[in-house]
Amino acid sequence: MESFNLFASLASAIVLEAAPFLLLGSFVGALFEVLVPDSFIERMIPKTVPGQLGFGLFAGMVLPTCECGVVPVVRKLLARGVPPATAITYLFAAPVINPVVLLSTYFAFQSDLTMVFWRCVLVGIPALVLGGVLGKGTAADILNLPKPVLRQMDDIRNENHGHDHGHECGCAACGETHDESSRIRAVLVHTGIEFLSMSKFLIFGACAAALFKTFTPSSVLDLMQGNNFISVGSMMLFAVLSSVCSEADAFVAAGFSMLPKAAMLSFVAIGPMVDLKLIPMFLSTFKRRVALALIVVPVVTIFYLCVLLAYLEGGV
Amino acid sequence: MIMDRLHTILEGLTTALLGAFMYAFSISDSYWMLLSPKFQPLTATAGFLLFVTGAAMTTRKPPRNVRRWGALCAMLAFLALACWAVLGPESAFAPDPPKKHTPMSLELPEPGEGFEPRLTLNDKEYVRISTPELFALIEGTNKEYPREIAMRGMVARSPDLDKRGMIAVFRVNVFCCLADAVAPGFLVSVDDPDKYPQGSWVRVAGEVVESAESHANGEISLPGMLMSFVSLNHEIRGHDVRIIDPPDMPFTFEVRDKEPFAY
């Protein structure tokens, strides 16, 4: 019973701490869905590849999207002619390099700006690499179906979807037909649906973290603390399995403060890029070799970068 | 159609219920058991907004055959778990929680406000300091630390420590939430360890000394705390170690590096 009390307290603490940030992220995402038309984004995209990469990297600052909703948004952007260099970079950067996630990371790691900085770097590198490599192709080379078919499918989907936001809704969580006359109400409803949908991943991740902290023998912890390969690798595996939302994952990671900072960084870097809810989305949205690249490149890059960080004296 | 409508209402009500719980929790005197008080306004605001959002969700037109049973079940299960954590058992890391809690506040006492930063015993002054603060000064910042100190904490014992005439004294420090709590501690030499039962609270007035030999990492820990550790190279030579009632706030939430310490 004592162990269950501890487990319940730890899991509740993590969820209650992260919930305001998840709500804020859902709210910002809802504002984007309801008020910002896709055409506005398309007009802003630069013509050069480096410019497109940079735009994709920092688009999340003004158009924050949770990783749970970013794949359908990217798919739609690609189908509408947004360059892959921008769309693929945005796919990985937007869930992390945005004000909400940066703020939650800052708070979770006790105002440690170096953790915020390294999180951006660790996400930015594979995002730029993949954006640069895949950006040479066209949307038809990347997406699972030819562009005309996709457009046709989008048209059919939108007819069924029935959004009346003045533009299409790209969020993954939304399966609703909205007929709210009030945009404020539409934002509220969208926020609630997004929050509800995402909270299950947060709760699952928090419970997994609490189970770990409650039942892990200290000998396992000593092993993880003493070996950078194991600590980084196991935290990355935990991030993929727990699928915690990027707006809340820093709080879960901060609970592992007994591990090297590089291991905590590997958790918050890989989680928004590859997890159990993203992998099926990648495989269904992109061509198989592209989907595999989207999974393998971030995993390998972040693993070695974090191991390197752990070994560098004063690296983090 | 009716099922769709019911599901929509259920989703809204569950979301609103979570919001109401968060708001009530934020103004309760149990908040500190799970979260640092610095998050209290954030939790209250989020709880209120979540309640409003949930209320708005109940009034929307129900979509056809879009049901999030997984999300609903997860949230309801979490609510049950959170109620258990807050209302059911005693705080996991505070085996002897106080009967009355002080109102939560980040305002720590300053000198002249009923709090004296130093304790005087037998004409000797001891600097009041919390265990995490002393630990941080010695092990973390390498700043000058007071040699004569008074601190409070929970007792942990082991047969080996008993033989050496020592007890371990820990204090849990919560940075953000219980999940990132750590319990730094010091070994304290005492006349008779049997006077200090496991889990009891003590006030230690004594002298910080360098240990004759380094203590083994993991030698002693606070039961139930994954992250508890004692200073490896420093210990306290106890001058006056006495059992006390648990403080109103068993955890610490702030680590200061100069007087007045949070104590």
Side-chain angles (χ1 to χ4, degrees):
Chain A
M1 183 57 80
E2 192 175 317
S3 294
F4 181 75
N5 292 346
L6 180 58
F7 162 76
S9 298
L10 291 173
S12 303
I14 294 172
V15 173
L16 289 169
E17 186 188 18
F21 293 95
L22 186 61
L23 182 64
L24 181 60
S26 302
F27 176 68
V28 173
L31 283 178
F32 167 54
E33 297 292 345
V34 174
L35 302 177
V36 181
D38 291 345
S39 58
F40 176 78
I41 313 163
E42 290 161 22
R43 284 200 304 273
M44 302 291 291
I45 294 174
K47 303 299 178 196
T48 63
V49 173
Q52 290 169 357
L53 289 173
F55 185 84
L57 195 63
F58 291 103
M61 294 297 286
V62 287
L63 301 168
T65 311
C66 173
E67 78 268 21
C68 314
V70 76
V71 175
V73 173
V74 166
R75 176 177 166 276
K76 187 178 296 175
L77 292 176
L78 283 167
R80 288 186 158 206
V82 172
T86 298
I88 296 297
T89 312
Y90 176 80
L91 170 71
F92 286 133
V96 172
I97 304 177
N98 71 64
V100 177
V101 172
L102 298 182
L103 193 68
S104 69
T105 307
Y106 178 75
F107 274 113
F109 291 109
Q110 299 148 45
S111 312
D112 187 348
L113 278 173
T114 59
M115 296 297 279
V116 180
F117 170 77
W118 281 111
R119 185 175 192 184
C120 292
V121 170
L122 289 169
V123 167
I125 289 173
L128 286 173
V129 168
L130 281 165
V133 173
L134 298 174
K136 291 172 183 169
T138 63
D141 298 327
I142 293 172
L143 290 172
N144 210 4
L145 292 168
K147 191 173 165 183
V149 177
L150 270 173
R151 278 194 170 146
Q152 196 177 355
M153 286 180 66
D154 268 349
D155 290 340
I156 295 166
R157 175 177 165 270
N158 292 331
E159 280 174 20
N160 292 335
H161 205 58
H163 274 278
D164 64 347
H165 296 162
H167 68 98
E168 298 162 18
C169 174
C171 77
C174 181
E176 309 301 316
T177 56
H178 297 304
D179 62 354
E180 282 80 11
S181 55
S182 159
R183 285 194 166 191
I184 294 174
R185 191 171 154 193
V187 168
L188 282 176
V189 169
H190 228 108
T191 301
I193 292 169
E194 186 80 0
F195 180 87
L196 185 68
S197 300
M198 294 305 103
S199 60
K200 66 173 182 279
F201 298 110
L202 171 63
I203 292 166
F204 174 76
C207 287
L211 278 174
F212 179 89
K213 292 176 75 84
T214 306
F215 296 108
T216 301
S218 57
S219 56
V220 173
L221 203 62
D222 290 342
L223 183 68
M224 286 178 68
Q225 285 174 308
N227 187 306
N228 290 327
F229 281 93
I230 294 175
S231 62
V232 170
S234 52
M235 283 301 279
M236 287 178 68
L237 180 64
F238 178 47
V240 172
L241 295 178
S242 61
S243 305
V244 182
C245 181
S246 61
E247 285 139 13
D249 60 0
F251 294 99
V252 176
F256 291 87
S257 57
M258 75 296 258
L259 297 180
K261 282 185 177 178
M264 291 190 279
L265 277 170
S266 71
F267 180 92
V268 294
I270 196 64
M273 302 181 92
V274 180
D275 66 23
L276 286 185
K277 59 186 184 296
L278 280 172
I279 290 171
M281 285 196 231
F282 286 164
L283 290 170
S284 62
T285 305
F286 300 102
K287 291 193 170 174
R288 182 164 291 271
R289 61 187 171 81
V290 175
L292 288 176
L294 295 179
I295 295 166
V296 172
V297 171
V299 168
V300 173
T301 310
I302 290 171
F303 178 77
Y304 282 107
L305 284 174
C306 285
V307 170
L308 183 65
L309 276 177
Y311 278 109
L312 283 175
E313 188 178 351
V316 278
Chain B
M1 192 64 184
I2 293 174
M3 286 303 293
D4 288 336
R5 182 75 200 146
L6 280 174
H7 189 85
T8 301
I9 292 173
L10 190 60
E11 280 185 346
L13 285 179
T14 306
T15 306
L17 187 62
L18 178 65
F21 174 82
M22 286 173 64
Y23 185 82
F25 172 62
S26 73
I27 59 172
S28 75
D29 62 359
S30 301
Y31 189 86
W32 61 269
M33 288 185 171
L34 299 184
L35 292 170
S36 167
K38 69 183 174 189
F39 284 106
Q40 197 179 10
L42 195 63
T43 310
T45 306
F48 174 75
L49 292 176
L50 205 53
F51 182 82
V52 173
T53 300
M57 286 171 73
T58 59
T59 61
R60 79 186 195 277
K61 184 180 176 183
R64 284 183 187 173
N65 298 320
V66 178
R67 292 174 191 164
R68 283 169 278 266
W69 287 115
L72 269 178
C73 291
M75 195 174 280
L76 288 169
F78 166 71
L79 278 167
L81 196 69
C83 285
W84 177 272
V86 175
L87 304 173
E90 295 172 341
S91 175
F93 295 158
D96 297 311
K99 295 292 179 284
K100 288 184 179 178
H101 308 144
T102 51
M104 282 173 296
S105 168
L106 283 177
E107 297 297 323
L108 289 168
E110 297 291 343
E113 295 177 355
F115 172 75
E116 292 303 325
R118 299 202 174 195
L119 171 72
T120 305
L121 285 174
N122 302 323
D123 297 328
K124 186 176 276 191
E125 272 196 342
Y126 297 89
V127 175
R128 292 185 200 263
I129 188 169
S130 74
T131 312
E133 287 171 327
L134 183 61
F135 193 94
L137 283 178
I138 293 175
E139 305 285 344
T141 61
N142 289 320
K143 286 185 178 176
E144 194 63 26
Y145 59 88
R147 297 311 198 261
E148 310 286 340
I149 58 92
M151 65 180 196
R152 298 174 294 180
M154 284 178 66
V155 172
R157 288 174 54 187
S158 73
D160 181 54
L161 286 181
D162 284 354
K163 283 181 197 166
R164 291 152 56 188
M166 303 188 97
I167 58 172
V169 176
F170 292 97
R171 185 87 183 265
V172 175
N173 183 69
V174 176
F175 292 105
C176 292
C177 75
L178 203 54
D180 63 24
V182 294
F186 287 88
L187 299 186
V188 179
S189 57
V190 292
D191 296 335
D192 179 8
D194 286 336
K195 288 183 185 171
Y196 311 99
Q198 174 89 9
S200 60
W201 277 83
V202 291
R203 190 212 61 200
V204 176
E207 180 186 1
V208 182
V209 295
E210 290 193 17
S211 307
E213 56 185 58
S214 290
H215 304 298
N217 201 3
E219 182 179 21
I220 181 84
S221 61
L222 190 62
M225 270 296 289
L226 187 60
M227 288 180 286
S228 63
F229 33 80
V230 292
S231 173
L232 300 181
N233 299 309
H234 293 78
E235 61 193 47
I236 311 292
R237 187 176 296 149
H239 295 167
D240 184 285
V241 182
R242 61 181 63 183
I243 291 180
I244 58 171
D245 288 334
D248 283 349
M249 193 67 81
F251 303 156
T252 61
F253 300 100
E254 183 183 3
V255 175
R256 295 180 177 180
D257 60 4
K258 59 185 178 186
E259 283 193 82
F261 293 101
Y263 184 54

